[in-house]
């Protein structure tokens, strides 16, 4: 009798343990933590907002901009995000230009487009290089100097000015892109108006 009771206790404990483990495994498989009412997708990629600048940089795929990745390491997370946004806008405008050419419409190359092209492919890489080397020199100076107070004041002033100048370059490029993209939207709208007028004039 005692043997049967012992077997029953062991069987009950084993069943409870295996059932609990199976229940937890089932929850984990569907991304639910027991006791937590929110869904967790373990296979979902990390949100970019949770990444450090270096990790964020490794996830960025540049579509149009050709930039030195070493120089980008000096940028902060907001600067990287703005630069990525600029790249996406450049790609959007580039695709619009290709569509125009595919329709045998040769877009006129305006002065504003020439200036933007120069900014994107010459001035922006030069600016990023200068910013990187200034930042690198700033770090080296702080490590070597013995007069930390005066050097830090000068270095912080230069770094603040460099940040401001870099931000001006980013903002200038982005505002020029916004103007060109707005012109693109206006052109699309104008094309629709022309087509509508054409159809209205040929109604039977």
């Amino acid at each position: 009798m005692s043997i049967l009771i012992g077997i029953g206790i062991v069987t009950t404990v084993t069943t409870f343990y295996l059932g609990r483990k199976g229940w937890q495994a089932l929850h984990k498989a569907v991304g639910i933590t027991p006791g937590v009412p929110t869904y967790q997708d373990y296979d979902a990629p990390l949100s970019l907002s949770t990444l450090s600048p270096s990790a964020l940089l490794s996830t960025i795929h540049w579509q149009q901009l050709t930039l030195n990745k070493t120089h980008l390491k000096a940028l902060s997370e907001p600067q990287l995000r703005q630069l990525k946004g600029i790249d996406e806008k450049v790609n959007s405008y580039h695709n619009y230009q290709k569509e125009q050419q595919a329709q045998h419409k040769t877009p006129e190359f305006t002065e504003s487009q020439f200036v933007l092209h120069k900014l994107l492919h010459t001035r922006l890489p030069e600016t990023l290089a200068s910013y990187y080397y200034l930042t690198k020199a700033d770090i080296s100076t702080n490590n070597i100097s013995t007069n930390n107070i005066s050097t830090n004041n000068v270095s912080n002033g230069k770094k603040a000015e460099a940040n401001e100048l870099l931000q001006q370059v980013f903002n200038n490029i982005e505002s020029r892109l916004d103007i060109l993209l707005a012109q693109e939207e206006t052109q699309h709208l104008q094309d629709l108006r022309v087509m509508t007028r054409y159809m209205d004039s040929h109604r039977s």
Side-chain angles (χ1 to χ4, degrees):
M1 185 68 180
S2 59
I3 294 176
L4 291 176
I5 293 174
I7 293 174
I9 292 173
V10 170
T11 302
T12 302
V13 171
T14 303
T15 302
F16 176 78
Y17 176 79
L18 293 176
R20 181 177 177 82
K21 284 294 184 182
W23 181 251
Q24 290 175 345
L26 177 63
H27 277 70
K28 186 174 183 179
V30 297
I32 301 174
T33 302
V36 179
T38 57
Y39 174 78
Q40 297 176 352
D41 186 356
Y42 291 97
D43 296 323
L46 289 173
S47 170
L48 292 181
S49 62
T50 65
L51 300 180
S52 64
S54 58
L56 175 61
L57 180 59
S58 67
T59 67
I60 295 178
H61 171 68
W62 301 102
Q63 301 177 84
Q64 295 295 329
L65 298 180
T66 304
L67 303 170
N68 188 319
K69 290 186 177 180
T70 300
H71 297 163
L72 298 177
K73 292 178 181 178
L75 301 182
S76 66
E77 181 257 354
Q79 290 170 333
L80 279 174
R81 291 184 186 281
Q82 185 175 10
L83 198 56
K84 177 57 179 171
I86 288 172
D87 180 62
E88 290 171 354
K89 290 180 179 181
V90 174
N91 190 58
S92 176
Y93 191 72
H94 177 73
N95 290 337
Y96 167 70
Q97 295 290 90
K98 287 175 63 176
E99 289 173 7
Q100 292 290 93
Q101 293 173 0
Q103 297 172 21
H104 305 290
K105 299 178 181 178
T106 305
E108 180 183 354
F109 197 66
T110 63
E111 182 181 353
S112 60
Q113 289 173 316
F114 174 79
V115 172
L116 179 62
H117 186 273
K118 188 77 171 177
L119 283 171
L120 288 170
H121 300 289
T122 303
R123 299 302 179 215
L124 179 59
E126 290 176 351
T127 303
L128 290 172
S130 297
Y131 183 79
Y132 170 77
Y133 287 114
L134 180 63
T135 305
K136 188 176 180 181
D138 177 51
I139 294 172
S140 301
T141 302
N142 283 335
N143 289 338
I144 296 173
S145 175
T146 54
N147 189 358
N148 287 332
I149 296 177
S150 61
T151 303
N152 283 341
N153 288 337
V154 173
S155 298
N156 289 337
K158 289 180 179 178
K159 185 68 181 296
E161 183 181 1
N163 269 319
E164 184 179 344
L165 294 173
L166 183 66
Q167 191 62 52
Q168 287 178 13
V169 171
F170 283 3
N171 292 344
N172 187 293
I173 292 174
E174 192 162 18
S175 64
R176 290 175 183 273
L177 275 167
D178 288 340
I179 291 172
L180 289 175
L181 290 172
Q183 291 173 354
E184 171 195 329
E185 291 178 355
T186 302
Q187 184 60 50
H188 281 308
L189 185 59
Q190 183 64 25
D191 291 343
L192 288 173
R193 288 170 179 164
V194 170
M195 181 57 68
T196 302
R197 286 197 296 266
Y198 175 82
M199 290 188 296
D200 288 344
S201 65
H202 287 77
R203 283 182 179 176
S204 55

